Structure formats: structure tokens, C-alpha cells
Amino acid sequence: MSDTSTSGPAPVTPASVRVPIAELENLMVRTCTAAGVDDRAARRVAEHFLVGELRGKFSHGLAKFAFESRFFPERQAPPEIVRAREAFAVVDAHREIGPLSADFATAAAIQRARRFGVGVVGVINTQRYGVLSTFTEAIAAHGLIGIAANTSRAEAVPAGGATAVLGVNPLSFALPTLGEPLSADMGTTLAPMGVLWEHRRSGSPLPGQCFVDAEGRPTRDPHAASSAVVFGDHRGFALSLLLQAVAGSLFGFPMGSDVDSAWSTGYAFIALDPAFAAPDQDASAANTRLADQLRAAAVADGTWRLPGDRGRALEAAARTSGTIAVPGPLLARLSARAAGDFTSD
């Protein structure tokens, strides 16, 4: 789910077909409707997962929607704040669909940041979402710095490890600018677990060095793999550990092997208002100057890019063409969901 992940543009293979974006959106909306979701919320959910697909985050786009939509009928009630103290709030999402829970938490974080300069909101008991950046970018659109992270079941090991204790623990941040937010969206593993799930369905080999079996041996066999490998050796491990605490013990949420399902997974949404720390400065203008300098350096060096730029370019190109390539089996799964089948996978 990051610009540094192994996911790239979906190849157009004989098993893929080009599908109008509007048709895919319609399939997702119909799926939500079949699960009892009202039209406005259904369109928001469809938009969220579609953005992930269009930005090239295929493990967190249509495939993630097809997987997570099995749980849409399990939603119990709208999210609610069950504990709050000044800048902090804890949300029980009551098994709401992930993007809707995250939208609720994002709004609560923005509200607190406006009042206290910082808003820190934890969410538990929710379904999962796709890409994180849509939420941090929504925070940045209000002139705030947005940060989001979550833990997951113990499915990740440091390089050389065999026993999974940490989750894949993704991170996103977005900085306000005078234009599009400067944003990053990354996992702390070399590949997300969604890659493993999809490769198990297709039977195709996994990307090399990204997954290990139960003995900690690297494997490309999707049926032998059990854990994803944390990126960056001990540095990536340390970052993942921090994110585990930010989305866990900070709010009293489970961590490590105590995270045993989607419902015990912890999420954190943070909004920071630069106007409280530097009331005489324009943070958006400063971030724009920094981004301009970085882009100029990237062009000069020719070997790197700013986080988020590639994804936005892919999305713009896809929307211009109006169609995208979708693997045939995935399209069949989406069609089954739209027809009300929430059990097959």
C-alpha cells in the first residue's frame, strides 16, 4: 500500500478485461445496497476502494473490496465516541464498514485539532478499509497535518525472524499545501498481506523475499507462506513497533498476538494544527515551497519521486481513459457480491 511496495500497474493479460470505471463503481454500490447500506454511504465506500485501485494499490482496491465486503452484513450500528478527554477520543465503530468508521474518526480528529491544536482518535471494533491516504489527505485539506496508522493480526516478522508478533502496521501522513496535499501511504512490510491472499487465489508465485514460511525461510509459495517480512531490517522493525503502540497501548487496544480478529484491531487518526504552534506562519505555503524544491531535485536526479505523485498520476490517467483492466476472476467475484452473494470467495 505504499509507493515503495511491489504492486505496480495491473498488466492486461488474457485473463483481464477492460471495464468502464462507472460499471465497477455500480457493482460496488449494488453490493453495499444488498448489505443494507444507504445510497450516500454506499457511494462513499465505492469511491474509497476505487481510489486505491486507480492509484495502483491493487491489494487495497477492488480485491480488498471483494474480500472485505463479505463482512458488510455484520455492521451493527453507527460508530460512536465512547471515551473522550480534551484532544483524545476513543471510538467503538460497532463493526461499521471501514471507510465509514475512518471518516467518522477523521472528522472527530479534525474537530479536536481545531479546538485544542491536536486531535488524536482511536478506533476499535471496525471492518477494514483500503488505502490510508484518503483519510490523511482529507485532514490535510483542512490545513492540518494528518497521520493515520493501524495494527493488525500478528502477521509480520523482522528480517531473519520466524515468529510473528507485530502486524503489518501501515502508516500514512499528509501535509497541507496550496494545491494537492503532499502525502505518503506505506506498509511496514515489503508487501501487504493482501498480496498473499490474492496469490493464494490465483496460485501464482509470490514476489521474492517478501514472505516467509513458519520456519522463517523465504518462500514464493503462497500456500507455504505464513508471514510478511518487515522492511528496512531493524529500522523498519523499530518503526513498526512504534506504530503498534500508537494504534494500540495509547488507547488501551490489544497488541501483538492479542489482536485476534478485525474487531480487536486498533486504528489511530491524528490531526495537528500548525496554526497553534506558528500562528504567524503559513504552513501550507511553506510545505508547497518544500515540495517544489523536492520535485526539482527529483527531476534533476532522475532516480526518485515524491510520495503520492505516482499514484495521483495513475489515477488521473485512468479517469481520463474511463476504463481499467480487471482480472476476470476478480470481476466475477465483484459481480457475485453485487448479486447479494456474501459467502463465496
Side-chain angles (χ1 to χ4, degrees), residues 136-149:
T136 57
E137 289 171 3
I139 294 173
H142 288 265
L144 311 172
I145 295 173
I147 302 172

Side-chain angles (χ1 to χ4, degrees), residues 279-296:
D280 299 326
Q281 302 296 318
D282 186 338
S284 294
N287 291 334
T288 299
R289 290 193 296 272
L290 176 62
D292 289 344
Q293 293 172 19
L294 288 169
R295 289 192 176 96

